Amino acid sequence: MKKFNRYEKWLLETGLVLLTAKMKKEIAEAEEQGKNPIMTQGYVDMVAKETLDKLTELTLKNKL
């Protein structure tokens, strides 16, 4: 299986961070309106961390 290079990893990390922030904001807004969202902010953080860990494993290592 091919691995991601550092630039591809950076692109995916940046997108994940932006999406995570957006999702957490939407969850907070829903909670302020008295709604019960399906996901919590903690769950979003947990899934994002797991995804970043997988991304690190699928990225080429530095050849030093």
Side-chain angles (χ1 to χ4, degrees):
M1 171 168 39
K2 291 186 108 180
K3 293 195 171 197
F4 297 111
N5 62 37
R6 293 181 61 107
Y7 178 67
E8 292 167 330
K9 179 184 178 196
W10 175 80
L11 284 174
L12 293 169
E13 282 179 339
T14 303
L16 183 61
V17 168
L18 292 173
L19 180 64
T20 301
K22 180 182 176 205
M23 290 176 71
K24 288 171 64 174
K25 180 181 175 190
E26 289 173 355
I27 291 169
E29 290 173 354
E31 288 173 345
E32 287 175 3
Q33 296 173 0
K35 297 179 182 175
N36 289 327
I38 295 174
M39 294 181 280
T40 64
Q41 292 183 21
Y43 179 76
V44 172
D45 288 334
M46 181 183 69
V47 172
K49 182 186 178 314
E50 290 174 359
T51 304
L52 288 174
D53 291 343
K54 288 178 187 177
L55 182 59
T56 299
E57 292 175 11
L58 294 173
T59 301
L60 293 169
K61 306 297 181 223
N62 285 340
K63 296 180 183 178
L64 296 177

